[in-house]
């Protein structure tokens, strides 16, 4: 995945770092290691808002949250397939010993080097720039040698390299003195393991849903793309356990069947057509979606992103074509967001994993992972999965709502109020004459409920600007009128809206209630 | 740390597992590995409530949250001292190769074996049962041989063992192909590293506070004590960065100076006296506490635990005596909770770490980690730390509020409403006649705000009992009167309080508001 617009990405990352959203690569004072980041005060606030919105949306659909260990022993990853299959091809320079991901190396080489492209066209007779890079190791090495790709570090040719190695992407560790274990590469596998316990909790009644928000680790060879592909990241994955026969007849489907979604089926993609805005019911009737339970799950994923405040014209649902579907997946759709920096970017996958995982873990653990259906038959349930992370949506919100005003030389973040890191800033017009005391009183009251700041440093214009830069939707200003018993404005404060710069006077006693309604979108600023 | 009451502990853990609070050791279906646990649906809900209360308390004191990587390269842990000093002594049986923590082995041996104790008394001439086990490896091995301690696995004597090894408690891993790294053994160190970034965010103004809630890992040889000492756990640590000269003159001290705390100074302990209930101001004047900033920080830690709903008579603050203080700590107090299972248990440490950490990281990274004070002098700030975790408070709440009614053969969890995992359960008296539809409507409305369940299975008494078992403070029952237009109770539902089993009828339109007030303790049940 390469940035669609490098200069937008560069400016965006500079802003994100400068304004204390995300720092890194960390640890910066030890010169940093690619793929590790710290969420600074504003970034963590934003990420918490993202995670809490996800939590709320899952819970509203009766999913329960669980928290499983992030470290698990080797047999778990043997069963899940990660120990053998979760690898990247690595090529090592025979001169300088630098390591590179072989497929990326070839891909970039083909894309960047015009002469090479020509040569590539001569060799292969193909005109297309981005022909798929082979996944086979031997094929890959053959092409690297054929194109005379050189080591990006020392410029030596790779012609003497004997083999491409498979590098496992899990971070290996040890429990106790000698138990082989790995930092989990995904939350999903760890969510499946307590299946017998879930049966107890849900009193043997399927379908039921659980989700997990937590850390996962992928030891990429050379991660770039900022927090879109890091070595440590936060996943949020929901799993619906359901008997196969319950999939067609899924009651909750009816609650959302008229919901319109921008769907780009495999067929539409093959026919070079645009995504279609259709209702879930139409999609189901058109056979875009195989069954009602999967349709409902896909819609839940869509609602997760809408609830985060992503504009509808920035979201689309793209079905996997047959050649990209994971071998265990019966159906798979991605949610893609249109980013200003990276263009259309995958942020979520919705998979019908069938009974694959429970079968594998049953086989490897020797434990029965079946449940009794209504006919009292023992069957292994299927799993419908919503797999995503919280780093990409957090980044997406910054990408989508950040802008730079060339004229004013000013950053602005027009992020929706409900997800903004700081909801309101309380500003005394001046420090003296009791204004800051009143401001602090209001601040103390508000910060019990909202993330809220108090600022008395610099001109009021500078302070408004500082808040616009970090996306604070509302500022309250306490001025002389607030305290002046002779003034018709006695007891009122000014509320300023970020996006319009408009100001209104409101009674200081009502500001908590008004801001609460503004943030939850119950009233608009113009209604005040 | 051994359980004070083994049977209480055993019953408590059985309850915790049975009711889906905490499962493990995980992965259970792969036979489990000591020290890893899953928080099930109710446990995760409770842990989230604990963490959100901590978050709210820190934020109310103007600490900002950050999220740093959980994996960091070796130089970080070299600087922090963990690479060299974070170790346990391990003895390996020369016959069966089993490994044991040498100090625990000796300690337990001395405690358990009456004959040995006698012998120990003969050998050493000491009468005390629990004399401190030596920390020195050579000394330790000498005593193990002297007492003829035997391997707990194969009963072979350790007399042929040549040495006790130091086992590092960090989980080692690799980043990329060859960068030595470790899963962090604490959040604190990772919180210190972005110090230059904090200066930017706080616009060079000290003091400022940051906190982090996240995973940490300690590879104990043989963890027992359930989630009180696990290999993977969640820490919550707050750090106040402050210039040394600001410590004496700390404004916020005045806000809390009249707060009474149960303080057990080193002196009181030496004199075999009980903890003293005194105000922060008295404690400061009595020289229990060296400076106002530390006093305020200790009080913040105390408030964190009070806000979690821990009863006051279960909390005490214990000062470290000189021989137990970490070498870098200028002052150190623990918060201890009185558990029914383990007795008085340490759950939090408040440390004046001086400028130790920033100095070490400056030295090792070569970066300047100083800030300019009001006199424009460059100085390395001090750090006041509140170090605790969220697993112990979560366990403590279950330990303190769980009880078993022998007569009714029933579990009850009388946990405070604001921290209870499920706030309200909505129950139709019977499934038919439209009762369940009305119940579901109320349930849908309530679950947007509270963690809420709907249950129509079994008798109403059984359903009340099920909710008492998991600590649900309130149940709403929808009965025939609710729907009967002729009844004076038309439009009302029954609200039942867990702790008194009392019931009242309230208008169904007001139940959201009433429950909200009950949970936030704005009204009592008797006020309805």
């Amino acid at each position: 995945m390469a940035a669609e617009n490098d200069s937008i990405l560069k400016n965006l990352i500079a802003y994100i770092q400068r304004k204390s959203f995300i720092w890194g690569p960390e640890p910066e004072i030890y010169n940093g290691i690619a793929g590790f980041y710290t969420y600074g005060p504003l970034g963590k606030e934003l990420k918490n808002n993202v995670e809490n919105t996800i939590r709320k949306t899952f819970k509203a659909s009766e999913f329960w949250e669980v928290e499983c260990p992030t470290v698990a022993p080797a047999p778990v990853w043997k069963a899940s397939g990660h120990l053998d299959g979760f690898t990247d091809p690595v090529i090592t320079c025979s001169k300088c010993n630098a390591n590179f991901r072989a497929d990326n190396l070839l891909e970039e080489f083909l894309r960047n080097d015009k002469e090479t492209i020509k040569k590539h066209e001569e060799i292969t007779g193909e005109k297309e720039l981005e022909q798929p890079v082979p996944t086979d190791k031997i094929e890959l090495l053959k092409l690297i040698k054929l194109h005379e790709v050189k080591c990006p570090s020392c410029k030596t040719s790779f012609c003497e390299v004997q083999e491409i190695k498979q590098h496992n992407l899990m971070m290996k560790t040890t429990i106790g003195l000698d138990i082989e274990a790995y930092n989990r590469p995904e939350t999903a596998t760890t969510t499946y393991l307590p299946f017998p316990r879930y049966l107890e909790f849900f009193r043997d009644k399927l379908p039921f849903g659980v989700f997990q928000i937590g850390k996962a680790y992928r030891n990429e060879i050379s991660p770039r793309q900022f927090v879109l592909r890091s070595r440590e990241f936060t996943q949020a994955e929901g799993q619906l356990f359901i008997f196969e026969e319950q999939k067609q007849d899924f009651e909750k489907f009816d609650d959302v069947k008229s919901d319109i979604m921008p769907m780009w089926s495999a067929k539409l993609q093959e026919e070079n057509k645009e995504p279609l805005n259709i209702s879930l019911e139409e999609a189901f009737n058109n056979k875009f979606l195989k069954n009602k339970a999967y349709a409902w799950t896909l819609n839940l994923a869509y609602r997760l992103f809408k609830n985060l405040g992503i504009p509808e014209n920035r979201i689309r649902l793209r079905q996997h074509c047959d050649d990209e579907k994971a071998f265990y997946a019966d159906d798979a759709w991605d949610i893609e967001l249109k980013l200003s920096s990276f263009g259309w970017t995958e942020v979520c996958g919705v998979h019908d994993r069938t009974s694959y995982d429970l079968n594998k873990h049953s086989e490897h653990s020797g434990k029965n992972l079946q449940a009794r259906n209504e006919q009292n038959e023992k069957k292994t349930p299927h799993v419908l999965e919503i797999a995503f992370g919280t780093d990409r949506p957090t980044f997406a919100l910054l990408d989508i709502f950040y802008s730079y005003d060339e004229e004013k030389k000013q950053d602005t973040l027009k992020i929706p109020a409900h997800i903004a890191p700081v909801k309101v800033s309380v500003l005394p017009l001046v420090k003296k004459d009791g204004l800051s005391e009143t401001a602090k009183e209001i601040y103390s009251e508000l910060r019990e409920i909202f993330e809220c700041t108090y600022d008395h440093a610099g001109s009021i214009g500078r302070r408004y600007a500082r808040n616009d830069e970090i996306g604070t939707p509302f500022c309250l200003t306490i001025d002389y009128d607030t305290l002046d018993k002779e003034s018709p404005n006695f007891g009122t404060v000014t509320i300023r809206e970020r996006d319009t710069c408009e100001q209104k006077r409101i009674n200081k006693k009502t500001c908590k209630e008004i801001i609460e309604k503004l943030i939850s979108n119950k009233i608009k600023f113009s209604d005040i």
Side-chain angles (χ1 to χ4, degrees), chain A:
Chain A
M1 179 174 49
E4 197 173 271
N5 190 319
D6 276 330
S7 90
I8 286 182
L9 180 62
K10 214 180 124 199
N11 289 334
L12 176 64
I13 292 178
Y15 161 77
I16 287 173
Q17 303 247 7
R18 188 169 65 239
K19 286 293 152 194
S20 293
F21 286 99
I22 306 171
W23 301 318
E26 284 279 30
E28 286 184 330
I29 64 167
Y30 288 94
N31 302 320
I33 292 182
F36 292 94
Y37 296 90
T38 285
Y39 283 82
L42 295 177
K44 180 59 178 165
E45 219 37 72
L46 178 60
K47 186 167 181 268
N48 279 351
N49 291 346
V50 165
E51 290 174 6
N52 285 331
T53 303
I54 291 167
R55 215 162 245 138
K56 219 175 144 183
T57 308
F58 270 127
K59 284 187 185 176
S61 290
E62 297 182 296
F63 281 61
W64 286 81
E65 188 171 1
V66 295
E67 181 185 319
C68 305
T70 60
V71 177
V76 169
W77 309 114
K78 182 76 188 165
S80 71
H82 288 89
L83 205 51
D84 299 322
F86 192 57
T87 56
D88 274 344
V90 172
I91 191 164
T92 306
C93 172
S94 49
K95 190 171 170 205
C96 77
N97 283 323
N99 298 295
F100 305 93
R101 215 179 122 168
D103 50 351
N104 286 358
L105 194 72
L106 180 63
E107 196 183 317
E108 236 166 83
F109 188 77
L110 294 179
R111 196 170 43 231
N112 290 338
D113 196 319
K114 289 258 163 116
E115 276 200 29
T116 320
I117 290 166
K118 239 193 212 163
K119 206 165 168 186
H120 176 74
E121 285 174 8
E122 286 166 19
I123 294 169
T124 63
E126 286 168 25
K127 280 277 168 204
E128 277 198 21
L129 287 190
E130 296 206 29
Q131 63 138 22
V133 165
T135 51
D136 180 74
K137 289 194 295 186
I138 295 165
E139 202 60 28
L140 205 52
L141 186 59
K142 220 169 82 183
L143 277 176
I144 287 175
K145 288 185 176 179
L146 195 67
H147 290 300
E148 291 168 24
V149 179
K150 289 185 178 61
C151 169
S153 288
C154 73
K155 309 298 168 199
T156 305
S157 149
F158 283 112
C159 61
E160 281 177 35
V161 172
Q162 295 300 314
E163 62 164 344
I164 283 175
K165 285 190 183 140
Q166 287 301 119
H167 165 68
N168 193 295
L169 295 174
M170 290 197 292
M171 287 186 200
K172 190 175 180 173
T173 189
T174 304
I175 303 172
L177 291 172
D178 51 12
I179 301 171
E180 181 186 342
Y182 296 86
N183 287 357
R184 66 181 176 193
E186 59 169 28
T187 56
T189 290
T190 63
T191 311
Y192 302 139
L193 305 182
F195 178 74
R197 294 288 195 172
Y198 299 148
L199 280 184
E200 236 175 279
F201 177 73
F202 292 102
R203 292 186 247 142
D204 294 314
K205 242 183 111 54
L206 272 75
F208 60 76
V210 293
F211 71 99
Q212 192 176 176
I213 302 177
K215 290 286 174 121
Y217 304 83
R218 295 193 187 186
N219 192 15
E220 312 261 354
I221 293 299
S222 44
R224 277 164 290 182
Q225 292 118 9
F226 201 51
V227 292
L228 261 60
R229 186 167 292 281
S230 46
R231 282 165 161 158
E232 173 178 338
F233 49 97
T234 304
Q235 283 199 316
E237 300 189 310
Q239 318 286 339
L240 185 73
F241 293 82
I242 185 166
F243 287 119
E244 189 172 9
E245 66 263 28
Q246 294 175 321
K247 282 172 164 178
Q248 264 326 328
D249 191 31
F250 192 74
E251 261 181 49
K252 285 183 176 175
F253 174 84
D254 290 335
D255 304 340
V256 294
K257 66 182 179 189
S258 56
D259 217 5
I260 307 286
M261 307 200 297
M263 301 190 71
W264 205 20
S265 67
K267 194 152 168 280
L268 287 173
Q269 292 166 59
E270 277 157 27
E271 294 169 356
N272 276 320
K273 288 181 182 160
E274 291 290 298
L276 215 55
N277 279 304
I278 52 171
S279 75
L280 207 59
E281 191 166 30
E282 284 174 280
F284 178 69
N285 292 338
N286 285 353
K287 307 234 187 309
F288 274 27
L289 299 166
K290 284 187 185 172
N291 61 66
K292 288 185 178 175
Y294 183 80
W296 178 83
T297 308
L298 186 61
N299 176 262
L300 171 57
Y302 178 63
R303 278 184 287 128
L304 279 161
F305 284 86
K306 278 212 305 185
N307 289 351
L308 291 176
I310 308 280
E312 284 184 27
N313 62 356
R314 297 267 196 166
I315 315 182
R316 73 180 180 199
L317 278 63
R318 193 180 70 77
Q319 189 175 25
H320 278 205
C321 299
D322 277 337
D323 59 353
E324 54 180 329
K325 231 159 40 185
F327 63 94
Y328 53 76
D330 188 48
D331 198 1
W333 288 70
D334 282 345
I335 293 187
E336 298 184 334
L337 302 186
K338 191 180 181 183
L339 304 184
S340 305
S341 55
F342 284 97
W344 283 104
T345 303
E346 187 239 305
V347 291
C348 177
V350 180
H351 311 119
D352 182 340
R353 300 182 66 115
T354 70
S355 58
Y356 177 81
D357 304 275
L358 290 180
N359 280 334
K360 279 286 167 197
H361 288 296
S362 175
E363 195 185 296
H364 284 256
S365 69
K367 302 291 191 303
N368 185 306
L369 300 179
Q370 293 182 309
R372 284 189 189 278
N373 67 10
E374 280 184 33
Q375 289 72 44
N376 208 22
E377 300 158 335
K378 287 202 112 183
K379 288 208 171 164
T380 307
H382 283 207
V383 173
L384 302 179
E385 177 194 46
I386 301 175
F388 62 116
T390 62
D391 304 274
R392 286 189 181 198
T394 303
F395 175 83
L397 288 164
L398 293 167
D399 172 286
I400 291 170
F401 293 108
Y402 168 70
S403 61
Y404 181 72
D405 187 324
E406 284 288 351
E407 213 166 291
K408 292 190 196 160
K409 302 264 173 246
Q410 206 200 311
D411 298 316
T412 316
L413 186 70
K414 292 193 172 179
I415 196 167
H418 77 281
I419 208 101
V422 176
K423 304 299 188 214
V424 53
S425 188
V426 183
L427 317 170
L429 186 67
V430 294
K431 260 186 269 191
K432 55 187 183 177
D433 300 330
L435 266 60
S436 63
E437 284 76 3
T438 305
K440 274 185 186 164
E441 274 167 34
I442 295 173
Y443 164 63
S444 300
E445 198 198 344
L446 292 182
R447 82 167 178 224
E448 302 233 321
I449 313 175
F450 318 113
E451 194 55 35
C452 183
T453 56
Y454 169 87
D455 188 0
H456 63 219
S459 75
I460 193 76
R462 181 72 206 98
R463 282 180 275 164
Y464 286 149
R466 216 144 51 201
N467 277 294
D468 291 346
E469 282 165 16
I470 63 166
T472 311
F474 306 105
C475 287
L476 291 179
T477 308
I478 287 76
D479 58 19
Y480 283 103
D481 276 11
T482 311
L483 304 182
D484 180 4
K485 287 182 187 162
E486 310 288 304
S487 163
N489 289 327
F490 173 65
T492 65
V493 297
T494 297
I495 182 165
R496 173 188 179 269
E497 189 185 41
R498 176 196 63 204
D499 295 351
T500 58
C501 300
E502 264 182 62
Q503 302 194 19
K504 300 196 176 197
R505 290 202 80 98
I506 56 174
N507 191 307
K508 68 175 184 177
K509 285 180 191 145
T510 60
C511 56
K512 192 164 83 176
E513 198 190 319
I514 288 175
I515 294 171
E516 207 156 27
K517 284 183 181 161
L518 284 168
I519 291 169
S520 57
N521 225 355
K522 278 180 196 142
I523 59 167
K524 292 199 185 313
F525 194 76
S526 53
D527 300 334
I528 299 175

